[in-house]
Amino acid sequence: AACAAAAVSSSIAALTCERSASGSTSSVQASAFVGTKVSVCRDASALLRAVNAGSSRQALVAPVRAQSVAAPAETKTSSSSKKTDTKQTVIITGASSGLGLATAKVLADSGKWHVIMACRDFLKAERAAKSVGMPKDGYTVMHCDLSSLNSVRQFVENFRRSGRALDVLVCNAAVYLPTAKEPRYTADGFELSVGTNHLGHFLLANLLLEDIQHKQNDNERRVIIVGSITGNTNTVAGNVPPKANLGDLRGLAGGLDGVRSSVMIDGGDFDGAKAYKDSKVCNMLTMQEMHRRYHEKTGIVFASLYPGCIATTGLFREHYQLFRTLFPPFQKYITKGYVSEEESGKRLAQVVSDPSLNKSGVYWSWNNQSNSFENELSQEASDAEKARKLWDVSEKLLGLA
Ligand code: LMG
Ligand code: NDP
Ligand code: PMR
C-alpha cells in the first residue's frame, strides 16, 4: 500500500505546478490552533458586554443586530497605550482559527506587531488568542462579520476610533460550503461564500485603503489577500471538479441573490464548492487590480498567496466526516501538499513582515524546502480584463461607485 501510495504521489507531483512543504518538514498533529466551538448565544453575550462596558446607550438605540450592537462595546483595547506603542499594526480577518490565528500568533509573539483580530465571534477569538498563548499586549479583538456590509463599515469606524496607524491588512477569513444543497445568504442577500470571501473583503479593503494610504510612518504598508491553489486551473488541485470559472460575471452583476439573478458568479446552478473556488479567483484578481490601480501611486505592496494545504483547519467543518478523516493523510502522504497550521502561519507572517517579500502584485507559494517563490496564476486568475470588470461590478454592487 505504501508503494502504491508513493507511486500515486510521484505521478501527482509530476503533474503539479504548485507544491509546498514536504511531510518531512511538517508533521500531522492535532494542532493547538484549532479553535473550540463556543456554545453561548452570540447576541446575548454581545449585549451583556455592551452593558457591562458602559455602552448601554449604543446597545439600546442601535438596531438589534449582533454586529452593530457588539462592535463598539466588544472592542477590547489591550493594556499598552496606542500613543506609546511603537509596534506596527496589522489587521487580520478571521484570526479566530486556522491560518489567521497561527499568523496572529507569530506576529504577536515577535513583539514587533500589534494584531487587530477582526472576527465575527468575539468570545471565540478571545479564547483562541489565550489558548495559543498570545501576549496580552500583542492583540486587540474587534468585531467584524464579513457577511454583513454594515458590520464591515462599523468595524472600520471602530478601528479608526482606536487611533492606530494601519500598516498591513490581511484578508484571510473564508467560508467553504461543499455539502450545502441550497445556497445561504449574507445579511445583504448575496450568496454566502462569494458574499463573505470576496464582497466583504472587497468593501473592507477599499475602505481601509484610505487609512493605509496616509503615510503616518515610514513602515512598509501592505494589503494581503489569501488566495488558493484550488482556484487555479493550471494545477492538479484546480482541476478537481467543480472547477472555478467566473464566466462573464452575469450572476455577480445581478447581485447573486437567487431571485433576479443566479447565485453563482457565472450564472450557473448553485454549487458550494465552486462558489468557494470562484471566490478565491476573485480574491486573486482583486489583489492584482489593486496593484495596478494603487501600487505606483501609494507605494502600498499588494500580494496574494497559497499557504499550502492546511488540511486540519476549520475550513472543512462542513465537509463530510469521511472527507475530514481522509483528507489530511491524503494530502500528507499522496499529494505531499500538506502543511501544519503552524507552518502556514509562518508563511503568511512572512508575507506580512519579511522585508524581502516586498514585491507588489505577486502570488506567493512555497516549495518543499519551505522557501517562498513567485508563482504563476491560471489564465483566468491573471486575466487583467476580467479583473477590471470584477472591480467595476463589485464596486457597483457595494455602492462604492
Ligand atoms: C465534489 O466531489 C463534490 O461533488 C462537491 O459537492 C464538493 O464537495 C467538491 O471539492 C469539493 O467535491 C469531488 C470528489 C472528487 O470528491 C469526492 O468524491 C470525495 C473524495 C475525497 C477525496 C479525498 C480523499 C482521497 C482518499 C484517497 C485515499 C486516501 C488514503 C489515505 C492515505 C493513506 C496513506 C498511506 O472528485 C474527483 O475529482 C473524482 C476523482 C477521483 C479519482 C481521483 C484519483 C486520484 C488519485 C488519488 C487517490 C488514489 C488512491 C489510491 C491509493 C492506492 C492505495 C492502495
Ligand atoms: P478556518 O475556518 O480555520 O478559518 C477561517 C476564519 O474565517 C475563521 O476564523 C472564521 O471565523 C472566519 N470567518 C468565517 N466567516 C466569517 C465572517 N462572516 N466574518 C468574519 N470572519 C469569518 O479556515 P482556514 O484557516 O483554512 O482559512 C483561512 C484562509 O486560508 C481562507 O482564506 C482560505 O481560503 C485559505 N486557504 C486555506 C487552505 C487550507 O488548506 N485550509 C488552503 C488555501 C487557502 P470563526 O472562527 O468564527 O468560524
Ligand atoms: Mg485537493 C495534487 C495536489 C493537490 C493539492 C496541493 C490539493 C490541495 N489537492 C490536490 C489533489 C487532489 N485533491 C486530488 C488528486 C483530488 C481527487 C482525489 C483532490 C480532491 C479534493 C477535494 C474533494 N481536494 C480538495 C477537496 C476539497 O474539498 C478541498 C477543496 O477543494 O476546497 C475548495 C480540497 C483541497 N485540495 C487542496 C487544497 C488546498 C484544498 C482546500 C481548498 C482551499 O483552501 O482552497
Side-chain angles (χ1 to χ4, degrees), residues 160-180:
R160 286 178 182 162
R161 257 181 255 147
S162 78
R164 289 188 176 274
L166 183 58
D167 296 296
V168 178
L169 168 66
V170 180
C171 297
N172 161 77
V175 287
Y176 174 40
L177 312 168
T179 56

Side-chain angles (χ1 to χ4, degrees), residues 96-97 99 120 124 145-146 172 276 280 310 313 317:
S96 49
S97 97
L99 175 61
R120 62 174 165 180
K124 178 176 176 181
D145 184 344
L146 290 157
N172 161 77
Y276 169 88
K280 288 288 120 184
I310 330 156
T313 71
R317 64 187 97 182

Side-chain angles (χ1 to χ4, degrees), residues 108-176:
D109 280 353
S110 75
K112 296 185 186 137
W113 290 88
H114 188 86
V115 183
I116 306 289
M117 300 171 73
C119 297
R120 62 174 165 180
D121 185 336
F122 182 92
L123 270 182
K124 178 176 176 181
E126 194 56 66
R127 284 182 189 171
K130 286 211 178 86
S131 77
V132 297
M134 281 168 62
K136 259 195 118 187
D137 62 352
Y139 69 94
T140 302
V141 178
M142 285 195 190
H143 189 264
C144 179
D145 184 344
L146 290 157
S147 68
S148 158
L149 301 180
N150 247 346
S151 176
V152 171
R153 290 184 182 279
Q154 182 86 62
F155 167 78
V156 172
E157 288 288 301
N158 287 339
F159 173 72
R160 286 178 182 162
R161 257 181 255 147
S162 78
R164 289 188 176 274
L166 183 58
D167 296 296
V168 178
L169 168 66
V170 180
C171 297
N172 161 77
V175 287
Y176 174 40

Side-chain angles (χ1 to χ4, degrees), residues 176 178-179 230 240 309-313 315-331:
Y176 174 40
T179 56
T230 55
V240 174
C309 186
I310 330 156
T312 52
T313 71
L315 195 68
F316 311 102
R317 64 187 97 182
E318 301 219 11
H319 226 311
Y320 303 110
Q321 188 49 55
L322 181 64
F323 175 88
R324 295 174 64 187
T325 306
L326 292 178
F327 193 56
F330 173 65
Q331 293 294 344

Side-chain angles (χ1 to χ4, degrees), residues 208-216 221 294 298 300:
L208 288 175
L209 262 180
E210 203 182 296
D211 303 66
I212 304 182
Q213 273 180 56
H214 288 141
K215 193 140 179 93
Q216 291 148 316
R221 290 145 309 136
Y294 299 112
T298 65
I300 298 169

